[in-house]
Amino acid sequence: MSPGSPRWTAVRAFLGRHAYVALAAGALLVLTRTVDFAPPPLVRPDPSAHGGAGEPVAVQEFSPELRNPRVVQLRLVLRRYDDPALPVKADDHALDDRGDVLSSPLVTAVVGTEAAVDQKVALEGGDLQVRLGLRATPRLTLGGATTLEHTLEIHSERTGWRGHPEIPVFIAGGTIGDLDGRGQRWVFTVDGHLFSLDLEAVRPAGPV
């Protein structure tokens, strides 16, 4: 066909009206033959890891910069033990080395002001999640001791065909007295996993 012939003109007009067909065909060829959307190995989730970490998490340290006695730091340390049959006790830390630290959130609060922790920890490649919810208000007694009014809620959530319903594991609350001299530990299980959760506090000495 010559460029000026009526047939060539008709072909050009057809291609102009249906150019999107050629573009779609080319895109389909690219998607099906030349592009690999599989994620590289380094970003694939590790199903054996606890949450998002491939190794045990270091426990955060209380800040050495605290100088105001009206400031209290609170720390939650969540451990998962390698054997759910271990005799872990609420008043004994002898088996701490058998547990991996999964989480250790650290918050700072002014005396008389509420602090909050709301954190989810993933296990079993993300199929199981444990949520920690703490509301805590540090106060001082007339003798200068630190007490803690608190509510702690722990829920579990498992992925399944019914959705993601949260199941309460336990709810605790009340006032912890003389928190400067001791911490508070809870021991619990979720779907065959054994955990301990330690609540600790530090406040600089001095008059308020």
Side-chain angles (χ1 to χ4, degrees), residues 1 6 9-10 14 29 34 39 49 59 77 83 86 88-89 95 97 100-102 106 119 148 151 160 177 188-189 206:
M1 291 183 295
T9 302
F14 175 84
L29 182 63
T34 64
V59 178
V77 181
D83 183 355
L86 287 174
V88 178
K89 300 178 181 178
L95 296 173
D97 60 345
D100 289 339
V101 175
L102 305 185
L106 185 67
Q119 190 171 66
L148 192 70
T151 300
F188 61 97
T189 60

Side-chain angles (χ1 to χ4, degrees), residues 67-88:
R67 294 185 176 88
N68 190 330
R70 291 189 60 83
V71 173
V72 177
Q73 277 195 334
L74 302 171
R75 178 172 65 189
L76 282 174
V77 181
L78 178 68
R79 289 182 175 87
R80 175 188 175 274
Y81 295 87
D82 57 9
D83 183 355
L86 287 174
V88 178

Side-chain angles (χ1 to χ4, degrees), residues 29-112:
L29 182 63
V30 169
L31 289 175
T32 56
R33 299 198 174 204
T34 64
V35 179
D36 181 9
F37 283 100
L42 291 180
V43 300
R44 287 176 180 158
D46 180 1
S48 65
H50 304 317
E55 57 185 18
V57 178
V59 178
Q60 298 182 66
E61 297 297 330
F62 289 119
S63 172
E65 302 299 323
L66 291 178
R67 294 185 176 88
N68 190 330
R70 291 189 60 83
V71 173
V72 177
Q73 277 195 334
L74 302 171
R75 178 172 65 189
L76 282 174
V77 181
L78 178 68
R79 289 182 175 87
R80 175 188 175 274
Y81 295 87
D82 57 9
D83 183 355
L86 287 174
V88 178
K89 300 178 181 178
D91 57 353
D92 188 0
H93 291 260
L95 296 173
D96 282 4
D97 60 345
R98 295 289 299 273
D100 289 339
V101 175
L102 305 185
S103 174
S104 60
L106 185 67
V107 295
T108 303
V110 176
V111 172

